[in-house]
Amino acid sequence: MPVTVAQTAGFCFGVERAVQMVYDTLRRGEKVCTLGPIIHNPQMVEELSKEGASIADSVAQAPQDSTLVIRSHGVGMKAYDEIAARNLHCVDATCPFVAKIHAIVSEKSRQGNVVLIAGNANHPEVQGICGHCLGPVYVFQTPEELTKIAQKNSELQKKPVILVSQTTFNKKVWEKSVEMAKKVYTNLEIFATICSATARRQEEAISLAGKSDLMIVVGGRHSSNTLKLFDICSGICETVLIETAEELFDYDFGGKIKVGVTAGASTPAFIIKEVQTTMSEILNNNNIEEDVNFEEALEQSLKSTYNGEKVTGIVTGIAPNEISVDIGTKHAGYVPLHELTDDPTAKPEDIVKKGDEINLIVVRVNDVEGTVMLSKRRYDAIAGFEKICEAAESGEILEGVVVEVVKGGVIATTNGVRVFIPASQATASRNDSLDDLLKKQVRFKILEVKPERRRAIGSIRAVLREERKALEEKFWSEVEVGKVYHGAVKSLTSYGAFVDLGGVDGMVHISELSWSRIKHPSEVCNVGDVLEVYVKDIDAENKKISLGFKKAEDNPWEILKRDYPVGTVCKVKIVSMTAFGAFAQIIPGIDGLIHISQISTERINKPQDVLSIGQEVEVKITDIDFEKKRISLSMRALIEEREKAAQEAAVQEDMQSMQAFAQQQAEAAAEESAPESAE
């Protein structure tokens, strides 16, 4: 009897990482103490306990000589402060997805946002998230509870609000809560923090439960994600919740033919394997027989079919160019590869597996040979076209891939249906290239459907227009003078650069692009460059934004004040000359004047007698007038200082020579006056 185990059953990334970190710490010979049970699975906790890992209910209970491991659920900032205060060695096994939520609520609450958390207020993960909030925080489990929070706290509607969720929160309840929140809170920011592994686990559980007579959910009875799996499956078929394989013997599984098994994120693989093996043995021992008599089976086998009929088949064989299916008739059913998928590079084994149940449509019946050719591709196309028709009425946004650029537009496929998107509806601007869309994932709306021709016309531009409008509304609700943005340069004109701020374009005037004089914005930036800009002025009435780009710290006069005080000797470049002197560039954007009287110690008739354009010379800064932005430079002062220094050095050298000569004379006289020594 078939027992199917969900592919996503068992340890998720965060749980597996936490358990592995405990094992790694134990292998290093360290004394391990976990802050609460490392995961919500008593069997796994017992295994770790046998290896030497103890449990502390609080930081205060942790032994001073132990390594404290923070479990995958995470903890609040208070716990981190207590760990630091006790100077405990700590290993942080918080799930990265949970840590991301901590960072979000910490930053947003610091900015004054009220935090709404979808989850169980008593769950350690939610308590940890609350512990990172620096302001008001509310927890709810249903859309109704969320509504009550808004009703009791009307002031929240005037404050910025963010919405996050526990990583294991029910996806459908989350989606309903989001819709409810959008209606209640006008200044709302939503963060989708349900773990992708959790979402996949729940979706697979729904699919498996729909194909099973019985679902077995394996996991700790205190595990949030395990209980959610049980609730989901219970609404579809008979479901039991167990922690170990031994509990299976407490149930009567008579009459059950198809059994599905899924497990929470904290359930070890060895427990899942034991459940699968035990369940298979129980079903075999019960010798369950299908409740179908011989006459009914014979009648079913003789059942015929016809072209165009929609049927359900079970995959019985897979070949390189086709698959075999059983549709419950006397015919041998097969699906050629080209009727299985539109993708010519795909392989049958990548699309289906033996035992899969698939929906098909009959293409051709051959009663002589006893075969029937079927098509999954055509069935999907019919179902897909029905979805296209529904989307045309509801205005739903569809996703697809552009597979072909044709005359007058592009072709995108979605749900097996080809949708024509005219060039005028394919891009945000008519000047954009259609070739750039090829093989790209796109979002579009259905503008027109022609059922008789099975043709649909879509629009990418309609979606882009709505998205841009939403971004524009959000921008104008948040923009303020001084706010910093990062945006791409969309276009350049002779007078400035237009920057995309996310739904709204702002302009950086040419005078704001550089402290130096430039002739065109292209000297500073190009189309596509991402600039960091700030809002200088807002014209809300005319929807215009003036932006600044150059920064105060880059002001050349501030650099001069900091690095080039009066008296500084520096190398400059001659940039122009007049009858009364030469102008030289000190740093980009600032020139100083070398007066003709300061060029040389000798009298000259014109600057060109000594200097030339482009020449680099050494000067001394003799005066700076920041108010009038004038700088005086002197070559002469340097020459005179160096000549004076040379003269002083020569005099010093002469004095040293005279002193040395006098010393020699004195020593000679002393030798002559000394008495002769006795022979």
Side-chain angles (χ1 to χ4, degrees):
M1 299 300 175
V3 176
T4 305
V5 178
Q7 293 182 355
T8 54
F11 278 1
C12 67
F13 165 78
V15 170
E16 186 171 21
R17 173 177 174 269
V19 171
Q20 190 59 48
M21 290 174 79
V22 173
Y23 276 124
D24 290 344
T25 308
L26 288 168
R27 291 191 189 101
R28 291 196 296 268
E30 298 178 35
K31 183 179 179 181
V32 174
C33 178
T34 64
L35 188 53
I38 190 68
I39 60 174
H40 277 157
N41 184 272
Q43 290 74 34
M44 192 71 249
V45 171
E46 184 178 353
E47 285 290 319
L48 292 173
S49 177
K50 292 177 181 177
E51 295 291 330
S54 61
I55 300 174
D57 293 329
S58 65
V59 176
Q61 292 182 4
Q64 191 66 40
D65 60 344
S66 68
T67 295
L68 184 63
V69 180
I70 297 175
R71 57 185 173 177
S72 57
H73 298 116
V75 293
M77 283 304 302
K78 183 180 178 181
Y80 287 104
D81 293 339
E82 291 174 355
I83 292 169
R86 289 195 58 195
N87 197 28
L88 289 172
H89 182 234
C90 175
V91 172
D92 194 346
T94 302
C95 171
F97 295 104
V98 176
K100 180 182 177 181
I101 304 176
H102 291 174
I104 291 171
V105 299
S106 175
E107 179 185 359
K108 291 297 181 179
S109 60
R110 187 180 291 109
Q111 295 172 359
N113 286 262
V114 176
V115 180
L116 298 176
I117 305 174
N120 183 347
N122 297 319
H123 194 277
E125 180 185 323
V126 175
Q127 292 172 347
I129 296 171
C130 291
H132 286 267
C133 296
L134 306 178
V137 56
Y138 300 89
V139 181
F140 66 93
Q141 285 187 277
T142 65
E144 291 72 22
E145 290 182 15
L146 178 60
T147 303
K148 290 179 181 178
I149 291 172
Q151 292 172 345
K152 292 181 180 179
N153 304 274
S154 57
E155 72 276 8
L156 295 186
Q157 298 183 19
K158 302 177 183 178
K159 297 180 179 180
V161 176
I162 70 164
L163 182 62
V164 299
S165 73
Q166 186 177 343
T167 55
T168 56
F169 196 69
N170 187 296
K171 187 177 179 182
K172 288 187 176 180
V173 178
W174 165 254
E175 291 171 350
K176 291 179 181 178
S177 300
V178 168
E179 291 303 316
M180 181 70 72
K182 287 179 179 178
K183 296 176 182 177
V184 176
Y185 301 100
T186 55
N187 194 2
L188 175 68
E189 190 172 6
I190 300 167
F191 294 90
T193 54
I194 294 179
C195 175
S196 58
T198 297
R200 287 196 301 272
R201 191 188 308 270
Q202 293 176 0
E203 289 169 359
E204 189 180 6
I206 292 170
S207 175
L208 186 55
K211 302 174 184 177
S212 304
D213 300 317
L214 171 73
M215 280 295 293
I216 299 175
V217 179
V218 189
R221 288 185 168 81
H222 298 291
S223 168
S224 174
N225 68 86
T226 300
L227 294 175
K228 286 183 177 67
L229 288 173
F230 177 77
D231 289 339
I232 290 170
C233 295
S234 296
I236 302 172
C237 70
E238 183 180 346
T239 305
V240 296
L241 173 63
I242 61 173
E243 286 188 352
T244 63
E246 288 76 11
E247 295 178 44
L248 290 172
F249 295 102
D250 297 333
Y251 296 90
D252 178 13
F253 298 111
K256 301 300 184 291
I257 298 175
K258 296 180 181 178
V259 177
V261 177
T262 187
S266 302
T267 308
F270 73 87
I271 293 181
I272 300 172
K273 185 63 177 176
E274 287 177 0
V275 169
Q276 181 186 17
T277 303
T278 304
M279 191 68 232
S280 296
E281 291 174 355
I282 291 173
L283 292 178
N284 288 332
N285 290 337
N286 288 344
N287 193 22
I288 301 173
E289 296 180 353
E290 296 184 6
D291 189 21
V292 181
N293 60 40
F294 177 76
E295 289 78 15
E296 290 175 333
L298 180 61
E299 182 181 347
Q300 180 69 16
S301 69
L302 295 175
K303 180 184 174 183
S304 187
T305 186
Y306 56 90
N307 292 349
E309 183 184 10
K310 294 179 181 178
V311 297
T312 300
I314 304 295
V315 178
T316 58
I318 300 176
N321 297 318
E322 65 180 30
I323 65 169
S324 301
V325 292
D326 179 9
I327 61 172
T329 70
K330 61 183 180 180
H331 300 89
Y334 69 98
V335 183
L337 180 58
H338 68 274
E339 292 294 347
L340 186 64
T341 175
D342 277 322
D343 187 357
T345 64
K347 298 179 180 179
E349 59 267 26
D350 296 333
I351 303 171
V352 295
K353 294 180 174 60
K354 281 187 177 182
D356 282 358
E357 186 176 275
I358 57 177
N359 293 315
L360 304 161
I361 192 166
V362 176
V363 177
R364 184 170 62 250
V365 180
N366 189 329
D367 287 321
V368 176
E369 296 180 1
T371 61
V372 57
M373 188 173 84
L374 306 135
S375 175
K376 179 180 183 298
R377 178 180 62 82
R378 300 190 198 190
Y379 181 96
D380 292 342
I382 293 172
F385 195 79
E386 291 174 353
K387 184 172 179 60
I388 292 285
C389 294
E390 293 173 0
E393 293 181 3
S394 65
E396 178 186 356
I397 296 174
L398 301 177
E399 290 187 357
V401 176
V402 175
V403 295
E404 191 176 357
V405 177
V406 297
K407 183 179 180 181
V410 299
I411 301 294
T413 60
T414 179
N415 298 300
V417 179
R418 290 164 64 88
V419 178
F420 174 68
I421 302 175
S424 61
Q425 298 294 330
T427 58
S429 171
R430 291 181 181 271
N431 297 324
D432 295 342
S433 173
L434 296 179
D435 292 329
D436 293 341
L437 294 174
L438 190 60
K439 296 183 180 180
K440 295 287 180 64
Q441 187 88 13
V442 293
R443 303 170 74 239
F444 53 87
K445 282 190 169 187
I446 301 300
L447 299 181
E448 183 182 353
V449 175
K450 297 181 179 179
E452 68 280 0
R453 299 178 59 187
R454 300 187 61 79
R455 187 181 180 191
I457 299 174
S459 172
I460 297 173
R461 176 176 288 186
V463 176
L464 295 176
R465 191 184 299 118
E466 287 183 5
E467 290 176 344
R468 188 165 184 85
K469 183 179 179 181
L471 288 173
E472 183 177 352
E473 291 175 355
K474 182 181 179 183
F475 175 88
W476 286 109
S477 69
E478 298 175 346
V479 68
E480 57 185 17
V481 173
K483 192 167 184 177
V484 176
Y485 290 89
H486 290 83
V489 177
K490 290 189 65 177
S491 62
L492 299 176
T493 66
S494 59
Y495 52 86
F498 286 89
V499 179
D500 183 2
L501 303 178
V504 174
D505 293 343
M507 191 192 78
V508 186
H509 193 270
I510 189 171
S511 62
E512 283 296 323
L513 281 170
S514 174
W515 288 102
S516 304
R517 186 183 296 274
I518 59 174
K519 295 181 179 179
H520 193 271
S522 58
E523 295 178 40
V524 176
C525 60
N526 297 305
V527 173
D529 289 352
V530 176
L531 305 182
E532 181 180 293
V533 295
Y534 61 93
V535 178
K536 286 197 66 180
D537 190 36
I538 302 170
D539 185 352
E541 184 176 348
N542 296 310
K543 301 293 184 183
K544 291 184 179 180
I545 299 291
S546 297
L547 303 174
F549 174 66
K550 59 186 184 184
K551 300 176 178 60
E553 59 266 29
D554 296 333
N555 186 340
W557 285 97
E558 292 299 320
I559 296 174
L560 184 82
K561 183 183 291 186
R562 183 188 68 216
D563 299 335
Y564 297 84
V566 172
T568 300
V569 175
C570 57
K571 187 168 284 188
V572 298
K573 183 178 180 180
I574 306 301
V575 293
S576 64
M577 286 186 275
T578 65
F580 55 86
F583 286 92
Q585 183 188 76
I586 305 169
I587 58 176
I590 294 187
D591 298 340
L593 173 66
I594 311 173
H595 193 271
I596 191 170
S597 63
Q598 297 299 316
I599 293 176
S600 174
T601 54
E602 300 177 0
R603 183 180 179 82
I604 60 174
N605 294 322
K606 57 185 182 298
Q608 289 87 343
D609 293 342
V610 177
L611 302 173
S612 60
I613 301 296
Q615 182 181 355
E616 289 188 348
V617 295
E618 203 168 33
V619 298
K620 182 177 184 180
I621 299 176
T622 56
D623 187 49
I624 301 176
D625 187 339
F626 286 99
E627 184 175 341
K628 296 182 179 180
K629 291 189 169 19
R630 293 178 181 175
I631 305 169
S632 298
L633 306 175
S634 176
M635 296 170 60
R636 177 177 176 177
L638 276 183
I639 297 171
E640 290 176 346
E641 286 178 2
R642 288 168 180 169
E643 288 179 351
K644 182 179 178 181
Q647 291 174 0
E648 290 177 352
V651 170
Q652 185 69 22
E653 185 177 353
D654 291 341
M655 291 181 64
Q656 290 176 351
S657 298
M658 292 175 63
Q659 289 174 355
F661 178 77
Q663 181 68 27
Q664 291 175 358
Q665 293 292 331
E667 290 175 355
E671 289 177 359
E672 290 178 358
S673 61
E676 294 182 1
S677 59
E679 295 185 4

